[in-house]
Amino acid sequence: MRMTRADVPVPLVRSGEVASRTAIRRANLGLVLRDLNTHGSRSQTQLAEDLGLPKATVSTLVSELTELGLVYQTDATRAGAVGRPRQTVELRGTAICGLGVELTATDARAVALDLRDDVLLDRSIAIDRADPDTVLDAVAALIHDALAVLAESGSHVLGITIAAPGQLDRDAGVIRFAAPLGWSDVQLVDGLISRLNADVPPMRIDNDARLGAVAEYAVARTEGIHDLLYVTGGLGVGAGILVDGQILRGAMGFAGEIGHLPLGRPDLPCPCGRSGCVEATVGVTAFLDTVSDPPHAVRDLDQQMTDLRTRADAGDPVVLAALGTVGQGLGVVVGMLIDVLSPRAVILGGYFSYFGEHLLTHVRGAVEARAIAGQAGGCDIRTSGFAFTGPARGAAHTALEALFTDPVACMEHASS
Amino acid sequence: MRMTRADVPVPLVRSGEVASRTAIRRANLGLVLRDLNTHGSRSQTQLAEDLGLPKATVSTLVSELTELGLVYQTDATRAGAVGRPRQTVELRGTAICGLGVELTATDARAVALDLRDDVLLDRSIAIDRADPDTVLDAVAALIHDALAVLAESGSHVLGITIAAPGQLDRDAGVIRFAAPLGWSDVQLVDGLISRLNADVPPMRIDNDARLGAVAEYAVARTEGIHDLLYVTGGLGVGAGILVDGQILRGAMGFAGEIGHLPLGRPDLPCPCGRSGCVEATVGVTAFLDTVSDPPHAVRDLDQQMTDLRTRADAGDPVVLAALGTVGQGLGVVVGMLIDVLSPRAVILGGYFSYFGEHLLTHVRGAVEARAIAGQAGGCDIRTSGFAFTGPARGAAHTALEALFTDPVACMEHASS
DNA sequence: GTGAGTTAGAACACTAGCTGAACTAACTCT
DNA sequence: AGAGTTAGTTCAGCTAGTGTTCTAACTCAC
């Protein structure tokens, strides 16, 4: 927590939103959950220190959360130091979860996360590139099965978030245009809901790169990192930007559309009709075209990338050269984004995440060559630990997000 | 206000900050001031609707602000419609003001704004490019005179913000590196305070482009625009980014450093030692080099730009061609920033602001040629109405900002 | 093993400030 | 002149944060 009792010149309620009576409680309840989620189980006294609230307030907050069934207190009989041993307040894991589903051109993946960020479920199905209707049938079946499994394990699904590439209308639940899928104006949410039972949890969609960034933030926030840039590499290349822990969507909701910036090799044509696009240079298709002859189909990317990583580790010059090209191209983009956004960390996801230092060396080199505030500015550049599961994980986090904003309302709905 | 009573599914207190009892009041008092500042004088009933608060609460808030001397109520005897005529709550203008000072390589300018955004003072002095000590003497004299004038008019100066180019350490009040000034590691705040009386209002520094963006936001927010990109053209080229009304600084505080992105003419050398920098292509030096032979000194930019605007209006092919080059170069950068940030508006400040459509046509053309979500995405591209006074105005706004966050604390200090 | 010291957490009285309802004020319209 | 309408204030009520106090549960020293 950045806000401790010591440094309170800053107002406790952020300006911009009206502070009402009931809202205070809900916000503070959510903050306790958030602190436990970020920093792990801790005692009431620690919570009070973290949040800058008096112990008395924390005591009532914890007891209310206990009644809601969201936390429980353990008799921490282990006592190291002097004084009464602290009981730890712990998040009740299985009670509530969020379901995230990522949709790509090659597969769909469902991940369920509980309050403790534990993975309750992770399954994926292959998608044969096909018309939206067929794909939606398959995705609906995936969701149906996932919901059944979660219901059986006694976990209440708070919400479902679908991660999809391209430009989306979040309010309408519609994919406006997604080049990797070859779709335009597909009613995703309505299509899925009509295929499922009526009593399906609230469903939303969001951009895959943005949700990938959310997944990374769940880790980064524990390190005190609140400004990060996530770049995903797949058929498309997109960025998810987090500023002070908030997703940057922009006024039109299109922020992070870096796939078609004219920063790639000028001669390379892009399916979008132009040339020089980032996507055409560092997208997975370009990479696979370089390393595999005859050209391989874009299928089972996880297996392919694991194999290529093995080849890279073994010193395969073709793979290493391709990674050099990709790393250099990526470094140019990342360097510019660092100058524009000044993030604390850059995390490379998707297929980039398989290659660690093989790739990072080139990216860092290109960044240091141009960026004003590159490595010197204290910006870490690393690969994601989530490989291709990032967006689905982030989607699951997002589906759970409401709980941290208003636990009371969420649990009211949950019980009914 | 985006938050009205109708759309209150969103919680009233933003999560992320602890909500304490006293903080509620201070936040709500500030919100009333902000609403009056943004939307002009209005009745208590209108305020209640804007803020989503009950009339009773607004009533007590207004009376407390009246006691603080920040607002007054007029007997609005004019009655158009049926019912009791509404009294309007108005901001008391002259009571409190913020002082903004911009420091450039050619001059220093002081602007004082009151609560109503009225300009209480606007004066500038020429600066002969010289060592920091000499410049600080002159700036201190400017501030001294400005404070004297404001004191005489009975306006309490809440704070002083200095706008400076380059990379700054805001906490330390130090200019780390400012290429346009040729300075590095200059103790700006300490240097000025030691030259002034001890009882000078709190002084801060911030980046000129960011403050220029703040000045634009004071206008844009009245149109419901909360995501904007400001690009300033001077000796340096920088960007100020506002996301959801908040300044984007980034983790390191270097966000918006677009002057040395490698997006300019690749052959043009830049004083920074590299080539292809944006600054070297669209900075004022490059522009002046193109339009005036023999090369003119960079002095009295306002007069020079006004003259060049006149030449452009008269159809001078040299000036129009130069504007075409600058507009094209700027459009490439702006187009990329639009894809990354998805702002609602892009505002061109500094010397760009003098040329209106002469420049905008080319910028828009370049943006539409590449950006995914350019004009089609609903992003306005326009020139600033503040010319070279933008950063100083924004600095004055920033100096006043504390009042909207915690009016009570500010007025306590003011009276003592 | 007993009391002093220490830390954790709950209980309680207190209070700031939001909130709904009732009430007064000031006007228009018929 | 009275009914209707809208604005703003007053007041009682209640929610929830806050400081203090108290109890619980431990360690440590003698």
Side-chain angles (χ1 to χ4, degrees):
Chain A
M1 254 333 213
R2 278 158 300 161
M3 166 126 329
T4 62
R5 197 153 210 179
D7 45 282
V8 204
V10 189
L12 296 171
V13 176
R14 263 194 220 178
S15 58
E17 308 287 332
V18 191
S20 77
R21 204 171 47 192
T22 55
I24 297 172
R25 193 96 240 255
R26 313 202 147 186
N28 283 348
L29 287 169
L31 276 167
V32 172
L33 291 179
R34 177 61 80 196
D35 196 63
L36 292 169
N37 172 256
T38 306
H39 299 117
S41 303
R42 50 219 311 105
S43 69
Q44 291 193 22
T45 307
Q46 281 178 301
L47 282 169
E49 281 171 18
D50 286 351
L51 302 174
L53 287 170
K55 289 198 301 177
T57 307
V58 172
S59 181
T60 61
L61 289 169
V62 167
S63 61
E64 188 165 345
L65 289 172
T66 306
E67 269 178 43
L68 287 171
L70 292 170
V71 304
Y72 61 96
Q73 298 189 56
T74 57
D75 290 0
T77 36
R78 286 190 55 233
V82 71
R84 173 176 169 177
R86 33 184 67 175
Q87 300 168 263
T88 56
V89 183
E90 292 188 23
L91 291 170
R92 191 176 293 277
T94 47
I96 294 275
C97 73
L99 181 58
V101 178
E102 189 192 9
L103 181 58
T104 75
T106 55
D107 45 30
R109 158 171 262 125
V111 171
L113 293 175
D114 68 12
L115 260 186
R116 311 164 64 147
D117 294 359
D118 287 338
V119 178
L120 300 185
L121 177 145
D122 182 358
R123 51 173 65 182
S124 61
I125 56 172
I127 298 246
D128 294 314
R129 190 159 190 157
D131 63 307
D133 274 336
T134 316
V135 174
L136 285 198
D137 286 343
V139 173
L142 176 67
I143 293 175
H144 180 85
D145 292 351
L147 289 177
V149 170
L150 292 168
E152 186 135 0
S153 71
S155 190
H156 177 258
V157 180
L158 200 67
I160 306 175
T161 302
I162 318 280
Q167 293 170 23
L168 315 170
D169 184 335
R170 286 169 60 233
D171 295 328
V174 170
I175 296 185
R176 286 285 169 233
F177 178 70
L181 300 170
W183 291 3
S184 54
D185 290 314
V186 174
Q187 303 266 351
L188 195 62
V189 168
D190 286 350
L192 287 172
I193 288 179
S194 68
R195 284 170 172 81
L196 293 158
N197 296 337
D199 60 340
V200 72
M203 196 185 291
R204 292 200 169 73
I205 59 170
D206 209 335
N207 177 275
D208 54 353
R210 277 199 275 272
L211 293 173
V214 170
E216 298 301 332
Y217 184 50
V219 179
R221 75 188 320 156
T222 67
E223 308 168 39
I225 295 177
H226 301 277
D227 300 86
L228 67 84
L229 168 66
Y230 173 86
V231 181
T232 179
L235 283 177
V237 173
I241 302 161
L242 286 179
V243 177
D244 200 23
Q246 301 287 319
I247 298 176
L248 193 158
R249 300 184 192 281
M252 308 300 138
F254 298 150
E257 287 288 335
I258 63 168
H260 299 277
L261 296 182
L263 297 172
R265 281 174 48 199
D267 51 311
L268 270 184
C270 179
C272 79
R274 298 175 291 194
S275 61
C277 292
V278 167
E279 210 161 284
T281 310
V282 304
V284 75
T285 313
F287 178 61
L288 284 177
D289 284 351
T290 319
V291 293
S292 54
D293 43 355
H296 211 286
V298 181
R299 287 220 49 185
D300 199 0
L301 282 175
D302 178 61
Q303 187 57 53
Q304 279 192 71
M305 292 306 146
T306 307
D307 291 348
L308 286 166
R309 163 71 196 229
T310 309
R311 281 171 64 186
D313 285 341
D316 185 323
V318 176
V319 176
L320 290 179
L323 288 173
T325 307
V326 167
Q328 171 69 27
L330 203 49
V332 171
V333 186
V334 167
M336 294 188 41
L337 292 174
I338 287 175
D339 275 356
V340 173
L341 300 167
S342 188
R344 175 71 184 71
V346 176
I347 293 130
L348 306 178
Y351 89 87
F352 301 138
S353 62
Y354 286 78
F355 299 101
E357 288 301 322
H358 295 306
L359 187 68
L360 288 171
T361 317
H362 299 100
V363 176
R364 293 202 189 103
V367 167
E368 278 167 39
R370 280 301 321 204
I372 292 285
Q375 213 67 350
C379 176
D380 298 334
I381 303 179
R382 40 178 129 152
T383 45
S384 166
F386 298 137
F388 285 113
T389 71
R393 287 184 67 107
H397 277 116
T398 303
L400 262 179
E401 193 63 29
L403 200 66
F404 297 102
T405 313
D406 190 345
V408 180
C410 288
M411 297 314 286
E412 274 168 11
H413 292 121
S415 57
S416 67
Chain B
M1 254 330 210
R2 280 159 300 161
M3 166 127 327
T4 61
R5 196 150 212 180
D7 46 281
V8 205
V10 189
L12 297 171
V13 176
R14 265 195 218 177
S15 59
E17 309 286 333
V18 190
S20 77
R21 205 173 46 193
T22 56
I24 297 171
R25 197 92 233 264
R26 314 203 145 187
N28 283 349
L29 287 170
L31 276 166
V32 172
L33 290 180
R34 177 61 81 197
D35 196 61
L36 292 170
N37 171 257
T38 305
H39 299 118
S41 303
R42 51 219 309 104
S43 70
Q44 291 192 24
T45 307
Q46 282 178 301
L47 282 169
E49 280 171 17
D50 287 350
L51 302 174
L53 287 170
K55 288 197 302 175
T57 307
V58 172
S59 180
T60 62
L61 290 169
V62 168
S63 61
E64 187 165 344
L65 289 172
T66 307
E67 270 179 43
L68 287 171
L70 291 170
V71 303
Y72 61 96
Q73 297 189 59
T74 57
D75 290 2
T77 36
R78 288 190 53 232
V82 68
R84 173 177 170 175
R86 32 184 68 173
Q87 300 167 264
T88 55
V89 183
E90 293 188 21
L91 290 170
R92 191 176 291 279
T94 48
I96 295 275
C97 73
L99 181 59
V101 178
E102 189 193 10
L103 179 59
T104 75
T106 55
D107 46 29
R109 160 171 261 124
V111 171
L113 293 176
D114 69 11
L115 261 185
R116 309 164 65 147
D117 293 0
D118 286 339
V119 177
L120 301 186
L121 178 144
D122 182 357
R123 50 173 66 182
S124 62
I125 56 173
I127 297 246
D128 295 315
R129 189 159 192 160
D131 62 308
D133 274 336
T134 317
V135 174
L136 286 198
D137 286 343
V139 173
L142 175 67
I143 293 175
H144 180 84
D145 292 352
L147 289 177
V149 170
L150 292 169
E152 187 135 359
S153 71
S155 189
H156 179 257
V157 180
L158 200 67
I160 306 176
T161 301
I162 318 282
Q167 293 170 25
L168 316 170
D169 183 334
R170 286 168 60 235
D171 295 328
V174 169
I175 298 185
R176 286 283 169 235
F177 179 68
L181 300 170
W183 292 3
S184 55
D185 289 315
V186 174
Q187 302 265 352
L188 195 62
V189 168
D190 287 349
L192 287 172
I193 287 179
S194 69
R195 284 170 172 81
L196 293 158
N197 296 337
D199 61 339
V200 70
M203 195 185 291
R204 290 198 171 73
I205 60 172
D206 209 335
N207 178 274
D208 54 354
R210 277 199 276 271
L211 293 173
V214 170
E216 298 301 332
Y217 184 49
V219 180
R221 75 188 320 156
T222 68
E223 307 168 39
I225 295 176
H226 301 277
D227 300 86
L228 67 84
L229 168 66
Y230 173 86
V231 181
T232 179
L235 284 177
V237 174
I241 303 161
L242 286 179
V243 177
D244 199 25
Q246 301 287 319
I247 299 177
L248 192 159
R249 300 183 190 283
M252 308 299 138
F254 298 149
E257 287 288 335
I258 64 167
H260 298 277
L261 297 182
L263 297 173
R265 282 174 46 198
D267 51 312
L268 269 184
C270 179
C272 79
R274 299 175 291 193
S275 61
C277 293
V278 167
E279 209 162 283
T281 309
V282 304
V284 75
T285 313
F287 178 61
L288 283 178
D289 284 351
T290 320
V291 292
S292 55
D293 44 353
H296 211 286
V298 181
R299 286 218 52 184
D300 199 0
L301 282 175
D302 178 62
Q303 188 57 53
Q304 279 193 72
M305 293 304 145
T306 308
D307 291 348
L308 286 166
R309 163 70 196 231
T310 309
R311 283 172 62 186
D313 285 341
D316 183 324
V318 175
V319 177
L320 291 179
L323 288 173
T325 307
V326 167
Q328 171 69 27
L330 203 49
V332 171
V333 186
V334 167
M336 294 189 39
L337 292 174
I338 287 175
D339 275 357
V340 173
L341 300 166
S342 188
R344 176 70 185 72
V346 176
I347 294 129
L348 305 179
Y351 90 89
F352 301 138
S353 62
Y354 286 77
F355 300 100
E357 288 301 322
H358 295 304
L359 188 67
L360 289 171
T361 316
H362 299 100
V363 176
R364 294 200 189 103
V367 167
E368 277 167 39
R370 281 301 320 203
I372 292 285
Q375 212 68 346
C379 176
D380 297 335
I381 303 179
R382 37 176 133 154
T383 46
S384 167
F386 298 137
F388 285 113
T389 71
R393 287 184 67 109
H397 277 116
T398 303
L400 262 179
E401 193 63 28
L403 199 66
F404 297 101
T405 313
D406 190 346
V408 181
C410 287
M411 297 314 285
E412 274 169 11
H413 292 121
S415 56
S416 65

